Amino acid sequence: MKLSIIDLADGQKVLSGVQAGRQLLGKLVAAARPPADPEPAYLDFNGVEVATASFLREGVIAFRDHARSTLPALYPVIANASPAVTEELEFFLRHRRDALWACQLTPSGEAREPKILGELDEAHQSTFDLVARLKSASAPGLAAQSKEGLAPTAWNNRLSSLAARGLLIERRSGKTKTFAPVLEIS
């Protein structure tokens, strides 16, 4: 799924303010459809020059939180953000100790240069790095092979927190949940 931010913002290249962010949130919620299988929702910033922290908080971050709580198979990803938008979003996310996927999106819809914007605490970062290296993991599997000595419940809490932020895709197979990065980091 690809959602053009500049189109939803009526062609505005400079996006600022709480009200404009809330208007974008409403349009993103209306445009988002629940997918049958887990998939990224690319929030395409192509053409947007600047977006303020208040706009990003009320629009983009609020949409990520909405999608993760009401559309569990949808994983918002920032795409094609200008350096100014990326810098503002990175600063905002670091201040909140939060994180979000970002990438460049080709015209054919292929994600390039995936990265995590923002900051994770040490425990969540090490968990994310481990899952990214393994490509897919479950809490019992991590407990069995990790040297941290954590119980499966602790691993599950970390994995679920990363999934709630939209960094890991959560899939259920019977009683077991497996987790994998939304985008593949090479």
Side-chain angles (χ1 to χ4, degrees), residues 1 33-39 72-74 171:
M1 176 181 308
R33 299 286 172 248
D37 294 315
E39 72 174 62
L74 200 61
R171 289 185 173 89

Side-chain angles (χ1 to χ4, degrees), residues 106-150:
T106 66
S108 65
E110 190 177 341
R112 300 277 187 191
E113 304 170 38
K115 62 183 175 182
I116 301 291
L117 295 180
E119 179 177 38
L120 296 171
D121 64 41
E122 189 176 323
H124 286 105
Q125 185 66 56
S126 67
T127 302
F128 177 84
D129 293 342
L130 185 56
V131 175
R133 193 179 85 236
L134 296 171
K135 308 280 190 231
S136 179
S138 67
L142 291 176
Q145 64 181 277
S146 171
K147 295 176 183 161
E148 287 189 54
L150 294 174

Side-chain angles (χ1 to χ4, degrees), residues 85-104:
V85 171
T86 300
E87 180 181 332
E88 192 73 15
L89 188 54
E90 177 85 23
F91 178 79
F92 176 75
L93 289 167
R94 283 188 181 279
H95 179 72
R96 284 178 39 147
R97 295 194 65 112
D98 198 355
L100 191 62
W101 276 105
C103 70
Q104 294 299 311

